[in-house]
C-alpha cells in the first residue's frame, strides 16, 4: 500500500477534509475477541497502564524477547499513537524516540542482555500499523494535527461498551430470580 491508496475529499462548503480509502485489499474483518484486544490496547495506552498494554499484546499474539520491560511497550504505544502534526515536529519526536531506543539497546548490551526484538506479530497487526502509518503520513502532508489516541480511544471505549451491552443481553438471568423462573418457563422474549 502507498499514499496513493488514499484520496483526500475536500468539502469546501463545510471546510472538512476526509480521507477516502481506495485500496480495499487493505481492509480486514476482525473476530470480536481480536477487535476487543485492540480496543484494550488503545485504552490502556490512553491510561498509561503498562500491565494492561501487556495483557492486550498477549491477547493479540504480540510478544517480545523482553517481557520484563513493560515500560518499553508503553513507551512504544505512547509514541506510535501520539498526535499527528507538521513534518518537522513528527521528525523531531521520531528522532527522540529512536535515540531513547538506542540508549536502551546500549544498556541491554552492557548488562549482557539480548537487545529487544519482537518474537511474534500476527498478520492483522500489520494492517493496524500500516493503516495508522498511512493516515499519519496524510496528516503530516496536510500539516494537520489529529489527536490519534483521543480518537481511537473514543471508538475503542464505544466498541467495548457495545460489546458489554450485547453480552449482558445475551446472558441468562441469574438463577433464583423471577426472570430466571420466567425464562425457564419460556415466558421471556427479548427484543433487540
Amino acid at each position: 500500500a502507498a499514499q496513493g491508496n488514499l484520496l483526500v475529499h475536500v468539502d469546501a462548503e463545510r471546510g472538512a477534509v476526509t480521507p477516502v480509502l481506495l485500496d480495499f485489499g487493505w481492509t480486514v474483518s476482525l473476530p470480536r475477541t481480536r477487535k476487543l484486544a485492540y480496543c484494550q490496547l488503545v485504552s490502556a495506552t490512553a491510561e498509561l497502564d503498562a500491565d494492561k498494554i501487556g495483557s492486550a499484546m498477549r491477547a493479540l499474539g504480540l510478544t517480545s524477547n523482553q517481557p520484563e520491560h513493560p515500560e518499553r511497550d508503553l513507551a512504544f504505544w505512547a509514541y506510535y499513537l501520539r498526535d499527528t502534526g507538521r513534518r518537522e515536529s513528527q521528525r523531531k519526536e521520531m528522532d527522540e524516540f529512536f535515540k531513547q531506543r538506542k540508549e536502551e539497546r546500549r544498556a541491554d548490551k552492557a548488562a549482557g542482555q539480548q537487545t529487544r526484538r519482537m518474537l511474534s506479530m500476527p498478520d492483522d497487526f500489520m494492517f493496524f500499523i500500516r493503516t495508522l502509518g498511512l493516515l499519519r503520513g496524510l496528516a503530516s502532508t496536510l500539516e494537520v494535527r489529529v489527536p490519534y489516541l483521543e480518537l481511537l480511544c473514543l471508538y475503542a471505549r464505544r466498541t467495548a461498551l457495545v460489546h458489554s451491552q450485547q453480552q449482558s443481553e445475551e446472558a441468562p438471568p441469574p438463577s433464583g430470580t423471577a426472570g430466571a423462573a420466567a425464562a425457564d418457563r419460556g415466558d421471556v422474549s427479548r427484543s433487540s
Side-chain angles (χ1 to χ4, degrees), residues 44-163:
T45 303
E47 296 166 12
L48 300 176
D49 189 324
D51 292 333
K52 286 183 183 176
I53 288 173
S55 175
M57 288 178 62
R58 285 186 298 279
L60 289 166
L62 289 168
T63 57
S64 80
N65 65 333
Q66 292 185 341
E68 70 276 8
H69 288 293
E71 75 282 358
R72 293 181 183 181
D73 295 327
L74 173 58
F76 171 79
W77 288 109
Y79 162 76
Y80 205 80
L81 298 176
R82 73 194 187 285
D83 292 354
T84 66
R86 301 177 69 98
R87 285 184 183 185
E88 299 80 27
S89 66
Q90 294 291 293
R91 172 58 82 179
K92 181 180 177 189
E93 290 169 0
M94 183 181 75
D95 290 345
E96 289 170 5
F97 177 76
F98 283 108
K99 179 181 176 188
Q100 176 64 35
R101 285 301 206 225
K102 191 174 186 178
E103 290 170 8
E104 290 168 356
R105 282 193 300 277
R106 276 194 207 122
D108 289 344
K109 286 181 181 180
Q113 298 176 348
Q114 289 186 349
T115 58
R116 184 175 179 80
R117 62 185 170 84
M118 295 305 293
L119 299 176
S120 65
M121 273 189 275
D123 292 340
D124 56 62
F125 177 73
M126 298 311 296
F127 281 95
F128 181 72
I129 291 293
R130 183 64 176 146
T131 300
L132 291 177
L134 285 171
L135 292 173
R136 179 173 299 285
L138 176 63
S140 290
T141 299
L142 296 173
E143 297 187 346
V144 295
R145 181 188 161 273
V146 177
Y148 251 7
L149 188 55
E150 183 181 328
L151 289 172
L152 289 172
C153 195
L154 172 72
Y155 286 97
R157 290 180 174 156
R158 181 182 298 170
T159 298
L161 178 62
V162 168
H163 170 72

